[in-house]
Amino acid sequence: MNQYIYFLEKSDIQKIKDELIRKGVTGDDLERALCSRLCDLVDIIDVTLFKTA
Protein backbone atom coordinates (compact mmCIF):
# COMPACT_ATOMS: atom_id res chain seq x y z
CA MET A 1 0.00 0.00 0.00
CA ASN A 2 3.01 2.30 0.03
CA GLN A 3 3.08 2.12 -3.76
CA TYR A 4 3.10 5.49 -5.49
CA ILE A 5 0.12 5.88 -7.79
CA TYR A 6 2.21 6.90 -10.79
CA PHE A 7 3.87 3.46 -10.77
CA LEU A 8 0.53 1.70 -11.31
CA GLU A 9 -0.90 0.66 -14.67
CA LYS A 10 -2.42 3.55 -16.61
CA SER A 11 -5.85 1.91 -16.45
CA ASP A 12 -5.63 1.75 -12.63
CA ILE A 13 -4.53 5.38 -12.46
CA GLN A 14 -7.56 6.36 -14.54
CA LYS A 15 -9.87 4.36 -12.26
CA ILE A 16 -8.40 6.08 -9.21
CA LYS A 17 -8.78 9.47 -10.88
CA ASP A 18 -12.41 8.75 -11.79
CA GLU A 19 -13.18 7.62 -8.24
CA LEU A 20 -11.55 10.73 -6.75
CA ILE A 21 -13.59 12.95 -9.05
CA ARG A 22 -16.77 11.11 -8.00
CA LYS A 23 -15.83 11.90 -4.39
CA GLY A 24 -15.50 15.60 -5.25
CA VAL A 25 -11.71 15.87 -5.49
CA THR A 26 -10.78 18.29 -8.29
CA GLY A 27 -8.13 20.74 -9.46
CA ASP A 28 -4.87 20.95 -7.54
CA ASP A 29 -6.15 18.53 -4.91
CA LEU A 30 -6.72 15.92 -7.60
CA GLU A 31 -3.23 16.40 -9.01
CA ARG A 32 -1.67 16.11 -5.54
CA ALA A 33 -3.69 12.97 -4.83
CA LEU A 34 -2.48 11.35 -8.05
CA CYS A 35 1.13 12.07 -7.03
CA SER A 36 0.68 10.43 -3.64
CA ARG A 37 0.78 6.86 -2.38
CA LEU A 38 -2.19 4.51 -2.22
CA CYS A 39 -2.11 4.56 1.58
CA ASP A 40 -2.61 8.34 1.47
CA LEU A 41 -6.01 7.87 -0.19
CA VAL A 42 -7.43 5.19 2.11
CA ASP A 43 -9.74 7.70 3.85
CA ILE A 44 -11.16 8.92 0.54
CA ILE A 45 -11.58 5.87 -1.71
CA ASP A 46 -11.43 2.08 -1.47
CA VAL A 47 -7.83 1.34 -2.39
CA THR A 48 -8.02 -2.42 -1.82
CA LEU A 49 -8.70 -2.94 -5.51
CA PHE A 50 -5.33 -1.42 -6.34
CA LYS A 51 -3.10 -3.16 -3.81
CA THR A 52 0.21 -4.24 -5.29
CA ALA A 53 2.53 -7.05 -4.33
Side-chain angles (χ1 to χ4, degrees):
M1 283 255 292
N2 285 325
Q3 179 75 32
Y4 280 93
I5 293 170
Y6 56 81
F7 284 124
L8 298 174
E9 296 290 327
K10 288 186 181 203
S11 60
D12 286 339
I13 294 171
Q14 186 60 50
K15 290 175 188 174
I16 291 170
K17 183 176 182 178
D18 293 343
E19 187 63 26
L20 288 168
I21 291 170
R22 272 193 284 278
K23 296 289 184 169
V25 180
T26 59
D28 289 340
D29 291 335
L30 179 61
E31 292 305 314
R32 278 192 294 278
L34 293 174
C35 291
S36 66
R37 297 171 296 165
L38 281 173
C39 63
D40 296 332
L41 302 179
V42 72
D43 292 335
I44 302 170
I45 63 172
D46 180 13
V47 297
T48 58
L49 301 174
F50 307 104
K51 283 188 179 178
T52 58

Coordinates of all heavy atoms in Angstrom, one line a residue:
M1 N 0.8 -1.2 0.0 CA 0.0 0.0 0.0 C 0.8 1.3 0.0 O 0.3 2.3 -0.1 CB -0.9 0.0 1.2 CG -2.1 -0.9 1.1 SD -3.6 0.0 0.8 CE -3.9 0.8 2.3
N2 N 2.1 1.1 0.1 CA 3.0 2.3 0.0 C 3.4 2.6 -1.4 O 4.3 3.5 -1.6 CB 4.3 2.1 0.9 CG 3.9 2.2 2.4 OD1 3.1 3.0 2.7 ND2 4.6 1.4 3.2
Q3 N 2.8 1.9 -2.3 CA 3.1 2.1 -3.8 C 2.6 3.5 -4.2 O 1.5 3.9 -3.9 CB 2.4 1.0 -4.6 CG 2.6 1.1 -6.0 CD 3.9 0.6 -6.5 OE1 4.5 -0.2 -5.8 NE2 4.5 1.2 -7.5
Y4 N 3.5 4.2 -4.9 CA 3.1 5.5 -5.5 C 2.2 5.2 -6.7 O 2.3 4.3 -7.4 CB 4.3 6.3 -6.0 CG 5.0 7.0 -4.8 CD1 6.1 6.4 -4.1 CD2 4.6 8.3 -4.4 CE1 6.7 7.1 -3.1 CE2 5.2 8.9 -3.3 CZ 6.2 8.3 -2.7 OH 6.8 8.9 -1.6
I5 N 1.2 6.1 -6.8 CA 0.1 5.9 -7.8 C 0.7 5.9 -9.2 O 0.3 5.1 -10.1 CB -1.0 6.9 -7.6 CG1 -1.7 6.6 -6.3 CG2 -2.0 6.9 -8.7 CD1 -2.7 7.7 -5.8
Y6 N 1.7 6.8 -9.4 CA 2.2 6.9 -10.8 C 3.0 5.7 -11.3 O 3.3 5.6 -12.4 CB 3.0 8.2 -11.0 CG 4.2 8.4 -10.0 CD1 5.4 7.8 -10.2 CD2 4.0 9.2 -8.9 CE1 6.4 7.9 -9.3 CE2 5.1 9.4 -8.0 CZ 6.3 8.8 -8.3 OH 7.3 9.0 -7.4
F7 N 3.2 4.7 -10.4 CA 3.9 3.5 -10.8 C 2.9 2.4 -11.2 O 3.2 1.3 -11.6 CB 4.8 2.9 -9.7 CG 6.1 3.6 -9.5 CD1 6.4 4.2 -8.3 CD2 6.9 3.8 -10.6 CE1 7.6 4.8 -8.1 CE2 8.1 4.4 -10.4 CZ 8.5 5.0 -9.2
L8 N 1.6 2.7 -11.0 CA 0.5 1.7 -11.3 C 0.3 1.7 -12.8 O 0.7 2.6 -13.5 CB -0.8 2.1 -10.6 CG -0.7 2.0 -9.1 CD1 -2.0 2.5 -8.5 CD2 -0.4 0.6 -8.5
E9 N -0.5 0.7 -13.3 CA -0.9 0.7 -14.7 C -1.8 1.9 -15.0 O -2.5 2.4 -14.1 CB -1.7 -0.6 -14.9 CG -1.0 -1.9 -14.7 CD 0.1 -2.1 -15.8 OE1 -0.2 -1.7 -16.9 OE2 1.1 -2.7 -15.5
K10 N -1.7 2.4 -16.2 CA -2.4 3.5 -16.6 C -3.9 3.4 -16.4 O -4.6 4.3 -16.0 CB -2.1 3.9 -18.1 CG -0.8 4.5 -18.3 CD -0.5 5.0 -19.7 CE 0.9 5.5 -19.8 NZ 1.0 6.4 -20.8
S11 N -4.4 2.1 -16.6 CA -5.8 1.9 -16.4 C -6.2 2.0 -15.0 O -7.3 2.6 -14.7 CB -6.2 0.5 -17.0 OG -5.5 -0.5 -16.3
D12 N -5.4 1.6 -14.1 CA -5.6 1.8 -12.6 C -5.6 3.2 -12.2 O -6.4 3.7 -11.4 CB -4.6 0.9 -11.8 CG -4.9 -0.6 -11.8 OD1 -6.1 -0.9 -12.2 OD2 -4.0 -1.3 -11.5
I13 N -4.6 4.0 -12.8 CA -4.5 5.4 -12.5 C -5.8 6.1 -12.9 O -6.3 6.9 -12.2 CB -3.3 6.0 -13.1 CG1 -2.0 5.4 -12.5 CG2 -3.3 7.5 -13.0 CD1 -0.7 5.8 -13.3
Q14 N -6.3 5.7 -14.1 CA -7.6 6.4 -14.5 C -8.7 6.0 -13.6 O -9.6 6.9 -13.3 CB -7.8 5.9 -16.0 CG -9.0 6.7 -16.6 CD -8.8 8.2 -16.6 OE1 -7.8 8.7 -17.1 NE2 -9.8 8.9 -16.2
K15 N -8.8 4.8 -13.2 CA -9.9 4.4 -12.3 C -9.8 5.1 -11.0 O -10.8 5.6 -10.4 CB -9.8 2.9 -12.0 CG -10.2 2.0 -13.2 CD -9.9 0.5 -12.8 CE -10.1 -0.3 -14.1 NZ -9.8 -1.7 -13.8
I16 N -8.6 5.3 -10.4 CA -8.4 6.1 -9.2 C -8.8 7.5 -9.4 O -9.5 8.1 -8.6 CB -6.9 6.0 -8.7 CG1 -6.6 4.6 -8.2 CG2 -6.7 7.0 -7.6 CD1 -5.2 4.3 -8.0
K17 N -8.4 8.1 -10.5 CA -8.8 9.5 -10.9 C -10.3 9.6 -11.0 O -10.9 10.6 -10.4 CB -8.1 9.9 -12.2 CG -8.4 11.3 -12.6 CD -7.6 11.7 -13.9 CE -7.9 13.1 -14.2 NZ -7.1 13.5 -15.4
D18 N -10.9 8.7 -11.7 CA -12.4 8.8 -11.8 C -13.1 8.7 -10.4 O -14.0 9.4 -10.2 CB -12.9 7.6 -12.7 CG -12.5 7.8 -14.1 OD1 -12.1 8.9 -14.5 OD2 -12.5 6.8 -14.9
E19 N -12.6 7.8 -9.6 CA -13.2 7.6 -8.2 C -13.0 8.9 -7.4 O -13.9 9.3 -6.7 CB -12.6 6.4 -7.5 CG -13.2 6.1 -6.3 CD -14.7 5.7 -6.4 OE1 -15.1 5.2 -7.5 OE2 -15.4 5.9 -5.4
L20 N -11.8 9.5 -7.5 CA -11.6 10.7 -6.8 C -12.5 11.8 -7.2 O -13.0 12.6 -6.4 CB -10.1 11.2 -6.9 CG -9.1 10.3 -6.2 CD1 -7.7 10.6 -6.6 CD2 -9.2 10.5 -4.7
I21 N -12.7 11.9 -8.5 CA -13.6 13.0 -9.1 C -15.0 12.7 -8.6 O -15.7 13.6 -8.2 CB -13.5 13.0 -10.6 CG1 -12.2 13.5 -11.0 CG2 -14.7 13.8 -11.2 CD1 -11.9 13.4 -12.5
R22 N -15.4 11.4 -8.5 CA -16.8 11.1 -8.0 C -16.9 11.5 -6.5 O -18.0 11.9 -6.1 CB -17.0 9.6 -8.1 CG -17.6 9.2 -9.5 CD -18.2 7.8 -9.4 NE -17.1 6.8 -9.5 CZ -16.5 6.4 -10.6 NH1 -16.9 6.9 -11.7 NH2 -15.6 5.5 -10.5
K23 N -15.8 11.5 -5.8 CA -15.8 11.9 -4.4 C -15.7 13.4 -4.2 O -15.6 13.9 -3.1 CB -14.7 11.2 -3.6 CG -14.9 9.7 -3.6 CD -16.0 9.3 -2.7 CE -16.1 7.8 -2.6 NZ -17.0 7.4 -1.5
G24 N -15.6 14.1 -5.3 CA -15.5 15.6 -5.2 C -14.1 16.2 -5.2 O -13.9 17.4 -4.9
V25 N -13.1 15.4 -5.5 CA -11.7 15.9 -5.5 C -11.4 16.4 -6.9 O -11.5 15.7 -7.9 CB -10.7 14.8 -5.1 CG1 -9.3 15.3 -5.1 CG2 -11.1 14.2 -3.7
T26 N -11.0 17.7 -7.0 CA -10.8 18.3 -8.3 C -9.6 19.2 -8.2 O -9.0 19.5 -7.2 CB -12.0 19.1 -8.7 OG1 -12.3 20.1 -7.8 CG2 -13.2 18.2 -9.0
G27 N -9.2 19.7 -9.4 CA -8.1 20.7 -9.5 C -6.8 20.3 -8.9 O -6.3 19.2 -9.1
D28 N -6.2 21.2 -8.1 CA -4.9 21.0 -7.5 C -4.9 19.8 -6.6 O -4.0 19.0 -6.5 CB -4.3 22.2 -6.8 CG -3.9 23.3 -7.8 OD1 -3.7 23.0 -9.0 OD2 -3.8 24.5 -7.3
D29 N -6.0 19.6 -5.9 CA -6.1 18.5 -4.9 C -6.1 17.2 -5.6 O -5.5 16.2 -5.2 CB -7.4 18.6 -4.1 CG -7.4 19.8 -3.1 OD1 -6.3 20.2 -2.7 OD2 -8.5 20.3 -2.8
L30 N -6.7 17.1 -6.8 CA -6.7 15.9 -7.6 C -5.3 15.6 -8.1 O -4.8 14.5 -8.0 CB -7.7 16.1 -8.8 CG -7.7 14.9 -9.7 CD1 -8.2 13.6 -9.0 CD2 -8.6 15.2 -10.9
E31 N -4.6 16.6 -8.5 CA -3.2 16.4 -9.0 C -2.3 15.9 -7.9 O -1.5 15.0 -8.1 CB -2.7 17.7 -9.6 CG -3.4 18.0 -10.9 CD -3.3 16.9 -12.0 OE1 -2.3 16.3 -12.2 OE2 -4.4 16.7 -12.6
R32 N -2.5 16.5 -6.7 CA -1.7 16.1 -5.5 C -2.0 14.7 -5.1 O -1.1 13.9 -4.8 CB -1.9 17.1 -4.4 CG -1.1 18.3 -4.5 CD -1.1 19.1 -3.1 NE -2.4 19.6 -2.8 CZ -2.9 20.8 -3.3 NH1 -2.2 21.5 -4.1 NH2 -4.1 21.2 -2.9
A33 N -3.3 14.3 -5.2 CA -3.7 13.0 -4.8 C -3.1 12.0 -5.8 O -2.6 10.9 -5.4 CB -5.2 12.9 -4.8
L34 N -3.0 12.3 -7.1 CA -2.5 11.4 -8.1 C -1.0 11.2 -8.0 O -0.4 10.3 -8.6 CB -2.9 11.8 -9.5 CG -4.4 11.6 -9.7 CD1 -4.8 12.2 -11.1 CD2 -4.9 10.2 -9.6
C35 N -0.3 12.1 -7.2 CA 1.1 12.1 -7.0 C 1.5 11.4 -5.7 O 2.6 11.4 -5.3 CB 1.7 13.5 -7.1 SG 1.7 14.2 -8.8
S36 N 0.5 11.0 -5.0 CA 0.7 10.4 -3.6 C 0.8 8.9 -3.7 O 0.8 8.3 -4.7 CB -0.5 10.9 -2.7 OG -1.7 10.3 -3.1
R37 N 0.8 8.3 -2.5 CA 0.8 6.9 -2.4 C -0.6 6.4 -2.1 O -1.5 7.1 -1.7 CB 1.7 6.4 -1.2 CG 3.1 6.9 -1.4 CD 3.9 6.6 -0.1 NE 3.3 7.5 0.9 CZ 3.6 7.4 2.2 NH1 4.4 6.4 2.6 NH2 3.1 8.2 3.1
L38 N -0.9 5.1 -2.4 CA -2.2 4.5 -2.2 C -2.6 4.7 -0.8 O -3.8 5.0 -0.5 CB -2.2 3.0 -2.6 CG -2.3 2.7 -4.1 CD1 -2.1 1.2 -4.3 CD2 -3.6 3.2 -4.6
C39 N -1.7 4.5 0.2 CA -2.1 4.6 1.6 C -2.6 6.0 2.0 O -3.3 6.1 2.9 CB -1.0 4.1 2.5 SG 0.5 5.1 2.4
D40 N -2.2 7.0 1.2 CA -2.6 8.3 1.5 C -4.1 8.6 1.1 O -4.7 9.5 1.5 CB -1.7 9.3 0.7 CG -0.3 9.3 1.1 OD1 0.0 9.0 2.3 OD2 0.6 9.6 0.3
L41 N -4.6 7.7 0.3 CA -6.0 7.9 -0.2 C -7.0 7.0 0.5 O -8.2 7.0 0.2 CB -6.1 7.6 -1.7 CG -5.2 8.5 -2.6 CD1 -5.3 8.1 -4.0 CD2 -5.4 9.9 -2.4
V42 N -6.6 6.2 1.5 CA -7.4 5.2 2.1 C -8.7 5.8 2.8 O -9.7 5.2 2.8 CB -6.6 4.3 3.1 CG1 -6.2 5.1 4.3 CG2 -7.3 3.0 3.4
D43 N -8.6 7.0 3.2 CA -9.7 7.7 3.9 C -10.7 8.3 2.8 O -11.8 8.7 3.2 CB -9.3 8.8 4.8 CG -8.6 8.3 6.0 OD1 -8.8 7.1 6.4 OD2 -7.7 9.0 6.6
I44 N -10.3 8.3 1.6 CA -11.2 8.9 0.5 C -11.8 7.9 -0.3 O -13.0 8.0 -0.6 CB -10.3 9.9 -0.3 CG1 -9.7 11.0 0.5 CG2 -11.2 10.5 -1.4 CD1 -8.7 11.8 -0.2
I45 N -11.0 6.9 -0.8 CA -11.6 5.9 -1.7 C -11.2 4.5 -1.2 O -10.3 4.3 -0.4 CB -11.1 6.1 -3.2 CG1 -9.6 5.9 -3.3 CG2 -11.6 7.4 -3.7 CD1 -9.1 5.9 -4.7
D46 N -11.8 3.5 -1.8 CA -11.4 2.1 -1.5 C -10.2 1.7 -2.3 O -10.3 1.5 -3.5 CB -12.6 1.2 -1.8 CG -12.3 -0.3 -1.5 OD1 -11.3 -0.6 -0.9 OD2 -13.1 -1.2 -2.0
V47 N -9.1 1.6 -1.7 CA -7.8 1.3 -2.4 C -7.5 -0.1 -2.4 O -6.5 -0.5 -3.1 CB -6.6 2.1 -1.8 CG1 -6.8 3.6 -1.9 CG2 -6.4 1.7 -0.4
T48 N -8.3 -1.0 -1.8 CA -8.0 -2.4 -1.8 C -8.0 -3.0 -3.2 O -7.3 -4.0 -3.4 CB -9.0 -3.2 -0.9 OG1 -10.3 -3.0 -1.4 CG2 -8.9 -2.7 0.5
L49 N -8.7 -2.4 -4.1 CA -8.7 -2.9 -5.5 C -7.4 -2.7 -6.2 O -7.1 -3.3 -7.2 CB -9.8 -2.3 -6.3 CG -11.2 -2.5 -5.8 CD1 -12.2 -1.6 -6.6 CD2 -11.6 -3.9 -5.8
F50 N -6.6 -1.8 -5.7 CA -5.3 -1.4 -6.3 C -4.1 -1.9 -5.6 O -3.0 -1.4 -5.9 CB -5.3 0.1 -6.5 CG -6.5 0.6 -7.2 CD1 -7.5 1.3 -6.5 CD2 -6.7 0.4 -8.6 CE1 -8.7 1.7 -7.1 CE2 -7.9 0.9 -9.2 CZ -8.8 1.6 -8.4
K51 N -4.2 -2.7 -4.6 CA -3.1 -3.2 -3.8 C -2.1 -3.9 -4.7 O -2.5 -4.6 -5.6 CB -3.5 -4.1 -2.7 CG -4.1 -3.4 -1.5 CD -4.4 -4.3 -0.4 CE -4.9 -3.6 0.8 NZ -5.2 -4.5 1.9
T52 N -0.9 -3.6 -4.5 CA 0.2 -4.2 -5.3 C 1.0 -5.2 -4.4 O 0.9 -5.2 -3.2 CB 1.2 -3.2 -5.9 OG1 1.7 -2.4 -4.8 CG2 0.4 -2.2 -6.8
A53 N 1.8 -6.0 -5.1 CA 2.5 -7.0 -4.3 C 3.7 -6.4 -3.6 O 4.1 -5.4 -3.8 CB 3.1 -8.1 -5.3

